[in-house]
């Protein structure tokens, strides 16, 4: 019975998100943990007359770790690539290069069965497209950004010459998106971020999830220099230090949640779409328009952001001011 309900979300993905056509090749990249999600997606793709291949790998050890070379090479030759995995491979060369070869990619990191049934998956993604693109366009045209929140975030960034990314769960050839988050984001110029990040909503990685108390990160010249807070802050600090790579502390992304159906639950791709939140991504930035490749990419989410681009407010809490 539950698989029948899950098929509703899978069909939404095939028909609305990747516009799957009969005869197209679909590669589903998954791991041993997410095989049930992969099976439902495969059934929906077969319904539509696609040629479906499911590649199962062992779970990655961390978010941002590359998939095996064999899978990465296969991704370049598929019309559609669907990626239900335990740990994110979104910010990898494999995804970047598959998009460059014309694939339509949709990433379903840490998906649960319920996420194919209700929540963000129920949004009208095409209706949200113009809103998402308007925010991304404002980033693309802007230079100086300031992010503040009632919780204490006050961060400035330079996005001069950087693209604005509109991720609204609908992809054309050469594009990737996550789902069900709807977000607009940009990657700041390396070394330009300064100020303070106060994450008070979620850090949906490492078992941290919804925050019990704020995690505070001090930022200087593009890198986090200090992290403070309670138990959850210590979890983040220990993991970042364990990689012994300064790029893990890179300020890689500013993103804004724009999916009215998403709800904060501690799962990355549901949390990041929540209105009214913004997130600061740290670590890898290569798939977002930046130049940094790190062992990790984590997002620090905060409530009720005010985002100013070149002095003009474009986001005020849950309101898009464009």
């Amino acid at each position: 019975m539950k698989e029948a309900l899950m098929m509703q979300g899978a069909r939404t993905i095939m028909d609305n998100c990747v516009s799957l056509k009969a005869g197209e090749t679909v590669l589903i990249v998954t791991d041993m943990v997410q095989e049930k999600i992969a099976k439902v997606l495969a059934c929906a793709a077969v319904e539509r007359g696609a040629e479906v291949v499911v590649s199962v790998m062992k779970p990655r050890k961390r978010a941002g770790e590359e998939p095996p070379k064999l899978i990465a090479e296969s991704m370049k030759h598929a019309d559609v690539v669907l990626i239900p995995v335990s740990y994110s491979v979104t910010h990898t060369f494999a995804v970047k290069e598959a998009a460059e070869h014309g694939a339509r990619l949709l990433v379903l990191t840490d998906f649960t069965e319920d996420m194919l049934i209700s929540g963000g998956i129920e949004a009208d993604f095409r209706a949200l497209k113009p809103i998402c693109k308007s925010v991304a366009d404002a980033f693309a045209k802007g230079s100086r950004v300031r992010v503040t929140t009632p919780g204490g975030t006050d961060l400035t960034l330079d996005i001069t010459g950087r693209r604005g990314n509109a991720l609204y769960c609908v992809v054309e050839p050469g594009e990737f998106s996550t789902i069900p988050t709807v977000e607009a984001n940009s990657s700041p110029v390396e070394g330009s971020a300064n100020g303070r990040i106060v994450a008070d909503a979620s850090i949906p990685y490492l078992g941290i999830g919804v925050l019990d108390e704020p995690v505070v990160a001090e930022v200087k010249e593009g890198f986090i220099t200090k992290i403070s807070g309670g138990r959850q802050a210590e979890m983040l600090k220990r993991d970042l230090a364990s990689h012994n790579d300064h790029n893990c502390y890179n300020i890689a992304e500013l993103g804004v949640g724009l999916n009215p159906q998403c709800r904060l639950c501690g799962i990355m791709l549901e949390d990041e779409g929540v209105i009214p939140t913004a997130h600061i991504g740290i670590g890898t930035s290569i798939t977002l328009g930046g130049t940094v490749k790190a062992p990790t990419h984590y997002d620090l989410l905060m409530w009720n952001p005010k985002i100013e681009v070149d002095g003009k407010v474009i986001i005020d809490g849950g309101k898009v001011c464009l």
Side-chain angles (χ1 to χ4, degrees):
M1 176 62 180
K2 192 166 190 179
E3 286 191 2
L5 295 174
M6 292 165 63
M7 281 292 287
Q8 297 175 18
R11 289 170 179 140
T12 293
I13 287 171
M14 301 307 160
D15 297 336
N16 298 339
C17 300
V18 301
S19 301
L20 186 61
K21 303 174 184 67
E24 288 193 303
T25 301
V26 177
L27 175 64
I28 300 176
V29 178
T30 190
D31 56 40
M32 288 85 162
V33 179
Q34 296 291 76
E35 283 187 86
K36 189 169 183 179
I37 302 290
K39 178 183 176 182
V40 172
L41 294 171
C43 289
V46 168
E47 274 187 345
R48 280 140 187 80
E51 184 69 49
V52 182
V53 175
V54 180
S55 292
V56 183
M57 61 185 177
K58 66 180 181 181
R60 304 293 83 188
K61 295 178 182 178
R62 61 180 183 270
E65 183 180 358
E66 296 285 335
K69 291 182 179 179
L70 181 62
I71 290 178
E73 186 63 28
S74 298
M75 290 166 63
K76 299 176 186 177
H77 302 282
D79 297 307
V80 172
V81 181
L82 305 175
I83 313 176
V85 288
S86 304
Y87 288 96
S88 172
V89 297
T90 305
H91 302 284
T92 60
F93 287 114
V95 167
K96 184 174 185 288
E97 291 170 5
E100 289 171 352
H101 279 76
R104 312 194 298 277
L105 298 102
L106 206 62
V107 181
L108 301 88
T109 300
D110 198 23
F111 241 64
T112 67
E113 295 175 13
D114 289 339
M115 286 173 66
L116 274 179
I117 299 171
S118 62
I121 195 73
E122 298 177 287
D124 185 340
F125 299 124
R126 293 189 181 275
L128 293 171
K129 174 180 177 178
I131 299 169
C132 189
K133 285 185 70 67
S134 71
V135 178
D137 288 346
F139 286 150
K141 295 173 183 176
S143 296
R144 300 296 300 175
V145 178
R146 184 183 182 194
V147 185
T148 56
T149 68
T153 293
D154 194 342
L155 188 71
T156 58
L157 316 101
D158 183 357
I159 56 171
T160 303
R162 289 297 166 92
R163 70 179 192 246
N165 303 298
L167 305 182
Y168 46 87
C169 310
V170 178
V171 286
E172 302 294 335
E175 296 179 348
F176 81 90
S177 182
T178 46
I179 187 172
T181 179
V182 173
E183 65 175 85
N185 64 51
S186 188
S187 183
V189 175
E190 290 71 23
S192 70
N194 288 282
R196 172 179 289 184
I197 302 164
V198 181
D200 56 4
S202 171
I203 301 177
Y205 306 83
L206 308 171
I208 297 174
V210 178
L211 292 171
D212 299 329
E213 58 183 303
V215 173
V216 181
E218 305 294 341
V219 178
K220 184 176 181 180
E221 296 179 351
F223 290 90
I224 291 175
T225 58
K226 180 182 178 182
I227 297 172
S228 60
R231 173 185 62 87
Q232 292 163 312
E234 289 301 314
M235 293 171 69
L236 179 64
K237 285 173 65 176
R238 284 196 301 270
D239 181 85
L240 292 174
S242 72
H243 299 291
N244 196 31
D245 189 328
H246 188 54
N247 283 342
C248 290
Y249 300 90
N250 173 59
I251 302 303
E253 173 192 8
L254 165 63
V256 184
L258 296 168
N259 186 338
Q261 300 298 322
C262 281
R263 73 279 192 208
L264 201 75
C265 62
I267 297 175
M268 175 182 61
L269 293 183
E270 192 80 30
D271 285 9
E272 291 179 355
V274 170
I275 300 172
T277 68
H279 55 271
I280 300 297
I282 62 174
T284 293
S285 64
I286 58 166
T287 57
L288 302 172
T291 63
V292 173
K293 182 67 171 77
T296 58
H297 178 99
Y298 301 143
D299 294 292
L300 315 182
L301 277 75
M302 60 206 72
W303 288 113
N304 298 305
K306 178 184 284 186
I307 299 176
E308 302 169 63
V309 177
D310 296 330
K312 178 183 178 181
V313 176
I314 67 165
I315 299 290
D316 192 357
K319 184 180 179 182
V320 176
C321 306
L322 292 170

